[in-house]
Amino acid sequence: MEVLHAGLVLLLFCSAYSYQFRSSAGDDPSVQDPELEWERMETVIGEEMMQTPPRETKFLKSASGSDSSTPEAMNVPQYVTVSASEDHEEVFKPEKGARPLPDLIKEISLVTATPTLESEKRIARMALVEILCHVDRIYVRIRREIFKTMDAYKYLTLGTCPVNQGTNAHYYLLYLLKTNCGFKKESHADYWSVRNVLHYKPTSPVLRDMPFDIPLQCKFPRFFNSYAVGFYPVLQGGIIFKALKQKNCFTLATQDASGKEITGTKTYTLGQPMYFEAKRCGHLSGSGDQRLYIHKCFMTASKNPNSYPKYTVIDNHGCMIDGKVTKQSKFLTCASKMVQKFSVGALIFKGHVSTHASSQQLYMHCEISMGKLTPTQNSKACNYDQATKKWQELYGYHSVCHHCASTCSSAHPKATGKIISSHPWKVLSSKDGDAEADPQMKSFDVDSLNLEDPDMAEHKDFLDHWEHDY
């Protein structure tokens, strides 16, 4: 009967309240010394309760409707009977304006409930069975002296979980809430509760201890009110360092010849120049010693950059290799080096030409990263000069472009930029008859070229040296 009485007291008095503090123990509550673990958790919970007292009593009622779940020392009486003499009449007399609160009123208002002899007895009886409620675990211990048999631990369980620690004085059941012990979790308007039952069910043919079931409950308040009596906000936690610099975020947009971004799907004709702009999100706030680099760009007929076929226009860590095919493909200078613009002549994939399809939809995919202001072999923007047959860096330092004539050595580190894709555009095939001009192609004999014509001289130079371009 003594154990059953303790169980009733435990149900009404041991409903514990969790506070938002760090979990200082590991995920496995099994430890070498359960007594030290119990004392440690008592200290942690006790410190938190002192820093953040429970809310006003009326908000913390147990399932039975009793207010006894709040520690006795924190209870604030609803009213106090005071024998006031005539000397106190002026203290309670209403008057205009404001004045400091008299000491007598402070003494009356802050009177705390004095634990009664009965409550002290209940606390003493509670020592037979104790519970600690933490934000992620429940610890229960029961004194061994209440059992008459040495193997009582075999029949003692917390829900479905057995005793997992023991000392000469106590049996311990230390479990995380995520353990499958039969914890019943209930959600209420202002608190969340966890219930379980401490069972003692001996299976021996004879009994020396009576079986019992002790209901246990932990209550976790959902919120606190700043106006609640006795609530003292406490700032907890350590120092958290968060980088103010935004992670690299890039965009690749299509533009018209004037530099305005094109919204929607643009349609080009074959050979028409297309303009692109790559920049970092919030580039205006970037560092003055940084520059945006495009390492590689290629076109596909699908939104998926891993699809085929694909046509590469920029390669070798910043070489405009399509510039050897057409003058329209080149890097363009910008007012800010946090932005990189380039142009490419419109094209279509030969294998996708169909008599039924009037146009092809294409996408541009680029590998972009940030680097130092001075270009290197692995971060550059090199154009091919058709006149000199040489590679030149957009802002000088032409020596970094010497790898553009071949494939960069594998000894150099690969670019680590992320592939960014543009919005799609369409290119009309020549059979659609939508081209702005139909160039008339003529056949010339190399020996009959008039070198006095500058244009013809350029073609003569090309025919004389074309083998050296590849």
Side-chain angles (χ1 to χ4, degrees):
M1 290 301 293
E2 186 177 7
V3 174
L4 293 178
H5 290 163
L8 294 176
V9 173
L10 190 65
L11 174 61
L12 299 179
F13 188 84
C14 266
S15 295
Y17 297 88
S18 171
Y19 301 89
Q20 299 301 319
F21 55 87
R22 66 186 183 278
S23 177
S24 53
D27 289 339
D28 184 5
S30 299
V31 291
Q32 295 295 329
D33 191 335
E35 289 283 354
L36 291 179
E37 171 66 6
W38 185 276
E39 292 176 1
R40 184 189 67 82
M41 290 303 302
E42 276 188 324
T43 302
V44 171
I45 296 175
E47 290 176 353
E48 292 299 323
M49 291 183 67
M50 290 178 61
Q51 296 176 6
T52 311
R55 292 174 296 162
E56 198 170 355
T57 306
K58 65 179 181 180
F59 291 104
L60 301 176
K61 295 185 179 181
S62 64
S64 63
S66 172
D67 293 343
S68 58
S69 56
T70 304
E72 292 290 337
M74 299 306 302
N75 279 337
V76 178
Q78 294 182 0
Y79 61 90
V80 176
T81 302
V82 179
S83 298
S85 63
E86 295 181 357
D87 297 336
H88 300 153
E89 183 177 352
E90 293 297 326
V91 175
F92 297 97
K93 183 179 180 180
E95 64 182 45
K96 184 179 180 180
R99 61 178 176 175
L101 191 67
D103 293 337
L104 176 63
I105 303 301
K106 292 181 180 179
E107 294 176 2
I108 295 175
S109 301
L110 299 179
V111 170
T112 57
T114 303
T116 61
L117 180 61
E118 181 62 27
S119 64
E120 293 177 350
K121 290 182 179 179
R122 289 189 299 175
I123 295 175
R125 297 171 71 88
M126 271 182 51
L128 298 177
V129 180
E130 298 172 272
I131 179 175
L132 289 178
C133 295
H134 194 262
V135 68
D136 65 345
R137 68 198 63 200
I138 289 181
Y139 287 178
V140 179
R141 72 178 180 183
I142 183 168
R143 297 191 65 85
R144 296 182 62 167
E145 65 186 34
I146 68 174
F147 299 103
K148 304 301 187 298
T149 57
M150 300 297 295
D151 59 351
Y153 68 92
K154 296 181 180 179
Y155 315 112
L156 192 63
T157 62
L158 176 61
T160 58
C161 293
V163 172
N164 56 3
Q165 292 286 344
T167 63
N168 292 333
H170 294 93
Y171 292 131
Y172 285 85
L173 301 100
L174 313 177
Y175 286 99
L176 299 175
L177 294 181
K178 65 181 181 181
T179 309
N180 187 18
C181 294
F183 293 114
K184 295 182 179 180
K185 303 171 183 178
E186 300 175 353
S187 180
H188 301 272
D190 58 348
Y191 70 92
W192 176 67
S193 68
V194 179
R195 297 176 181 270
N196 212 327
V197 180
L198 181 65
H199 301 286
Y200 178 65
K201 296 181 179 181
T203 58
S204 56
V206 296
L207 296 177
R208 290 183 172 85
D209 299 299
M210 292 298 295
F212 59 81
D213 296 310
I214 300 179
L216 307 177
Q217 180 187 29
C218 291
K219 297 175 71 174
F220 302 84
R222 290 188 180 277
F223 55 85
F224 289 99
N225 297 317
S226 59
Y227 55 81
V229 175
F231 174 72
Y232 303 95
V234 177
L235 182 62
Q236 299 184 10
I239 299 175
I240 299 176
F241 294 95
K242 183 175 179 63
L244 297 179
K245 183 178 179 181
Q246 185 181 19
K247 293 184 179 180
N248 285 339
C249 166
F250 302 100
T251 61
L252 180 63
T254 55
Q255 294 185 333
D256 58 20
S258 65
K260 295 182 180 180
E261 184 173 347
I262 298 175
T263 58
T265 303
K266 170 72 173 176
T267 301
Y268 299 92
T269 58
L270 281 174
Q272 182 180 356
M274 304 181 298
Y275 299 92
F276 299 88
E277 181 187 67
K279 64 180 180 180
R280 195 176 82 171
C281 304
H283 68 277
L284 296 179
S285 60
S287 174
D289 61 350
Q290 284 190 314
R291 176 179 165 185
L292 183 143
Y293 292 97
I294 300 176
H295 300 276
K296 182 176 183 178
C297 280
F298 56 91
M299 297 184 195
T300 64
S302 170
K303 188 176 182 179
N304 182 6
N306 298 319
S307 63
Y308 288 91
K310 63 175 59 176
Y311 180 76
T312 302
V313 295
I314 302 174
D315 205 358
N316 287 350
H317 303 286
C319 300
M320 181 63 73
I321 60 175
D322 196 47
K324 297 188 67 176
V325 180
T326 172
K327 292 183 178 180
Q328 293 175 336
S329 296
K330 56 187 175 182
F331 287 108
L332 304 174
T333 57
C334 303
S336 171
K337 293 186 179 180
M338 302 295 288
V339 176
Q340 183 60 71
K341 296 184 179 183
F342 63 96
S343 62
V344 177
L347 55 85
I348 59 175
F349 288 104
K350 182 178 179 180
H352 285 204
V353 174
S354 171
T355 57
H356 302 289
S358 61
S359 62
Q360 286 187 12
Q361 182 165 281
L362 301 174
Y363 296 82
M364 181 72 77
H365 311 278
C366 294
E367 185 178 284
I368 308 171
S369 72
M370 297 302 301
K372 294 183 178 180
L373 198 59
T374 303
T376 65
Q377 294 181 6
N378 298 313
S379 299
K380 55 188 180 292
C382 297
N383 286 325
Y384 183 72
D385 190 338
Q386 295 281 357
T388 62
K389 305 297 186 292
K390 294 181 180 180
W391 291 93
Q392 296 183 348
E393 216 283 330
L394 187 61
Y395 297 104
Y397 305 95
H398 303 314
S399 61
V400 301
C401 299
H402 71 276
H403 277 300
C404 291
S406 60
T407 302
C408 290
S409 172
S410 59
H412 296 295
K414 294 183 178 180
T416 58
K418 182 179 179 182
I419 293 293
I420 306 298
S421 301
S422 70
H423 292 295
W425 71 88
K426 292 183 178 181
V427 179
L428 297 176
S429 59
S430 60
K431 66 178 183 300
D432 298 320
D434 293 331
E436 296 179 0
D438 184 13
Q440 300 297 320
M441 303 301 293
K442 297 181 180 180
S443 177
F444 295 95
D445 185 354
V446 175
D447 296 331
S448 65
L449 290 173
N450 182 6
L451 298 182
E452 294 180 359
D453 186 345
D455 293 335
M456 295 301 101
E458 182 180 347
H459 284 286
K460 179 63 169 61
D461 180 72
F462 171 76
L463 294 174
D464 289 340
H465 301 91
W466 71 275
E467 292 182 350
H468 300 288
D469 291 346
Y470 299 93

